[in-house]
Amino acid sequence: MNTTAQSEQLSVEHLLGIKELTAADIELIFRTADGFKEVLNRPIKKVPSLRDLTIANLFFESSTRTRVSFELAQKRLSADVVNFSSSGSSVSKGETLVDTVNNILAMKVDMVVMRHPDPGAAVFLSRHVDARIVNAGDGTHEHPTQALLDAYSIREKLGKVKGVKVLIVGDILHSRVALSNIFCLQKLGAEVMLCGPQTLMPRYIDTLGVRVEPDLDKALKWCDVANMLRIQLERQGGDGVANFPSLREYAMRYGLDLERYKRSRDAAGGKEIVIMHPGPINRGVEVTSQVADHANSIILDQVENGVAIRMAVLYLLAARIPRTAV
Ligand code: CP
């Protein structure tokens, strides 16, 4: 692995959100991830960098990609890993978050990766326990490693992020992915536009410095990249479609099928839009299968890049922990 980035440091001790990172931090994470991507393409996909560290993955909310990706990243770095999920734990007996984490830390854990349904949970934890905290998604607030892997995947596909026109479509209101992506893309000099039902736009939208276009066809004509967000039915209460009439109507107005994709390509003079989705996909709602599996879809590249990005984040945060040589 290229070690040129090793003497540089992140400006933060925890990864709580993209908002706290500088553009230089993000570039450092990307350069470090480049080195780890090379490691991941070797026959033996492992380095000893974190063999002296123990990392706990605390998931208080469902996850497939983020959880597996963090665990793989930790194992590729030779860390010891312990996994905790709230179901079946003493959380159900009334134990507080700080007590739960302090009990795990008493078993000599150095870092905590946490997903939690409450916005601000990672910040709260970082102020109350003695360990490095990585936010793996806190409610509707931030999902920093998702935004990093998204921007990294744009950089990989288009060769740059600066100046790229990125459209984020759908459930902005409930999306931690949207907020982290907006912060990350803006720090790297991309242009960001949002599109979705008015009922799924947050009230603070005017403060974000992004353009909003309610007409998906016009928005698609404008963009280079379309990031199609998942409709977060579990955060909408009731029957899951409290913010729009039906999934069918949502798909008609804000979903991307092959016909709409081709129409926008023709309207934009043949420009092929890069298609992204953070997963999990509701096929036939945000995108049809023909679009999800299209040659210009980088959805699985996003997942692949997640491991290198998370290795980079863990490696750079670990570099800030005082450690004796092993
Ligand atoms: N993108 C994402 O966070 O997926 P999971 O919920 O499966 O981790």
Side-chain angles (χ1 to χ4, degrees):
M1 175 193 164
N2 182 341
T3 55
T4 49
Q6 286 181 355
S7 57
E8 297 173 72
Q9 285 209 330
L10 292 177
S11 67
V12 292
E13 291 194 338
H14 311 274
L15 181 61
L16 303 174
I18 298 291
K19 197 168 190 181
E20 293 79 31
L21 296 183
T22 64
D25 287 329
I26 298 169
E27 297 289 358
L28 174 59
I29 292 168
F30 286 2
R31 287 198 304 281
T32 310
D34 288 341
F36 285 128
K37 264 207 92 160
E38 187 259 308
V39 170
L40 292 171
N41 285 316
R42 291 181 195 162
I44 297 173
K45 305 168 179 49
K46 203 161 178 163
V47 287
S49 312
L50 303 193
R51 66 183 172 179
D52 56 328
L53 293 189
T54 303
I55 305 177
N57 297 314
L58 272 55
F59 278 71
F60 294 87
E61 221 186 38
S62 318
S63 170
T64 300
R65 278 144 293 273
T66 311
R67 186 176 181 145
V68 172
S69 183
F70 266 113
E71 187 173 345
L72 266 178
Q74 292 150 4
K75 288 181 170 167
R76 303 292 191 220
L77 291 166
S78 304
D80 287 325
V81 180
V82 60
N83 290 309
F84 166 96
S85 46
S86 53
S87 62
S89 77
S90 291
V91 169
S92 59
K93 299 176 191 166
E95 190 171 52
T96 67
L97 176 62
V98 170
D99 277 344
T100 299
V101 175
N102 272 331
N103 275 272
I104 291 168
L105 295 181
M107 296 180 240
K108 307 288 181 217
V109 166
D110 305 287
M111 290 174 97
V112 171
V113 174
M114 184 174 75
R115 170 166 289 190
H116 198 281
D118 294 338
V123 173
F124 172 80
L125 201 60
S126 71
R127 291 180 184 159
H128 290 90
V129 304
D130 185 19
R132 296 297 191 267
I133 308 297
V134 181
N135 181 5
D138 59 333
T140 56
H141 179 223
E142 281 229 38
H143 191 349
T145 55
Q146 179 70 45
L148 290 166
L149 73 88
D150 287 345
Y152 184 82
S153 300
I154 292 172
R155 169 184 176 264
E156 182 178 72
K157 179 74 178 174
L158 299 179
K160 60 176 185 173
V161 180
K162 191 177 170 66
V164 173
K165 293 177 176 169
V166 182
L167 173 66
I168 303 177
V169 181
D171 187 355
I172 314 294
L173 180 67
H174 300 106
S175 178
R176 54 195 174 212
V177 175
L179 196 59
S180 287
N181 259 270
I182 291 166
F183 291 146
C184 189
L185 292 166
Q186 287 179 333
K187 282 174 197 269
L188 296 176
E191 286 183 63
V192 183
M193 179 184 278
L194 306 179
C195 177
Q198 188 65 38
T199 50
L200 289 176
M201 290 288 162
R203 288 208 187 113
Y204 56 81
I205 202 85
D206 295 343
T207 66
L208 294 175
V210 294
R211 295 169 65 176
V212 180
E213 170 53 68
D215 182 327
L216 180 58
D217 292 308
K218 285 184 188 165
L220 288 169
K221 190 177 169 191
W222 171 85
C223 73
D224 303 308
V225 175
N227 193 350
M228 309 300 293
L229 298 181
R230 181 174 73 86
I231 286 292
Q232 308 219 3
L233 298 172
E234 75 280 15
R235 295 192 205 280
Q236 296 196 35
D239 61 1
V241 288
N243 296 73
F244 48 88
S246 68
L247 285 176
R248 190 163 167 273
E249 184 170 321
Y250 178 88
M252 282 171 63
R253 290 200 59 186
Y254 299 103
L256 187 54
D257 61 13
L258 194 58
E259 192 186 325
R260 180 170 252 158
Y261 179 84
K262 286 180 178 168
R263 210 167 54 231
S264 76
R265 182 190 60 196
D266 296 345
K271 181 176 66 178
E272 294 272 3
I273 297 165
V274 177
I275 300 150
M276 302 178 71
H277 192 300
I281 303 173
N282 295 306
R283 283 182 184 250
V285 180
E286 302 102 19
V287 288
T288 59
S289 287
Q290 283 178 310
V291 169
D293 305 329
H294 191 272
N296 235 29
S297 159
I298 59 167
I299 294 171
L300 289 179
D301 302 287
Q302 293 171 256
V303 178
E304 181 183 337
N305 287 332
V307 180
I309 283 289
R310 291 179 173 115
M311 287 173 80
V313 165
L314 296 166
Y315 174 83
L316 290 165
L317 289 177
R320 299 204 46 163
I321 299 176
R323 288 144 78 195
T324 47
V326 288

